[in-house]
Amino acid sequence: MIAYCDLVNITEEIAFKIASGFEGGIAKLGKTCGTINAAVMLLSLRYGENDKQDTESKLKRREIIRNFMLEFMKNHQNGINCSDILTEEKPNVYTMHSEKCAKTVAEVCDLLDKYMFL
């Protein structure tokens, strides 16, 4: 999230605070990948509507995030949870901060680079 602060007009301190609870799939519970959560927050900040009445922006933001998610999920049929992404082929082996995690972060950043500049 911090790497994209300048694109969404927030400080690094705010970005860190906003995203800090999402590590390890929300407080290390293995739920939705923190990088995915950060990407959705960033895309919302970039394309989100300023008020409830702005349905045009709402639809555009929703379509962008939906397309981002669908593109990510093409390579992750097991799901978007940390536990789904990081679990090894062996049953119930869930490894945090593994090479898979770094690879997932890089993959999400590559997608963000594409979707932040539509």
Side-chain angles (χ1 to χ4, degrees):
M1 182 124 183
I2 291 171
Y4 295 88
C5 287
D6 57 328
L7 295 176
V8 295
N9 254 352
I10 60 172
T11 66
E12 288 186 11
E13 180 183 11
I14 294 294
F16 187 81
K17 283 183 178 187
I18 289 170
S20 64
F22 292 101
E23 97 273 34
I26 306 175
K28 291 193 173 187
L29 290 172
K31 301 301 180 190
T32 305
C33 170
T35 306
I36 294 290
N37 283 313
V40 171
M41 288 187 283
L42 287 162
L43 292 169
S44 294
L45 284 165
R46 181 84 167 166
Y47 299 108
E49 59 276 15
N50 289 321
D51 62 66
K52 289 189 218 181
Q53 307 307 318
D54 187 358
T55 54
E56 185 177 328
S57 292
K58 178 180 181 176
L59 293 173
K60 178 182 178 181
R61 183 246 326 132
R62 183 183 295 155
E63 180 182 2
I64 289 168
I65 293 172
R66 182 180 296 257
N67 290 337
F68 171 89
M69 292 300 300
L70 291 172
E71 190 167 344
F72 178 83
M73 290 187 302
K74 282 180 189 175
N75 296 324
H76 300 276
Q77 288 84 22
N78 289 338
I80 61 171
N81 287 341
C82 278
S83 58
D84 299 327
I85 295 168
L86 300 181
T87 298
E88 301 295 329
E89 297 303 314
K90 300 172 252 164
N92 302 322
V93 177
Y94 173 49
T95 309
M96 294 288 259
H97 305 294
S98 66
E99 280 185 41
K100 276 186 165 181
C101 186
K103 182 180 174 189
T104 302
V105 170
E107 182 182 353
V108 169
C109 288
D110 287 345
L111 278 175
L112 263 177
D113 289 346
K114 173 182 173 181
Y115 282 88
M116 290 294 280
F117 298 102
L118 295 175

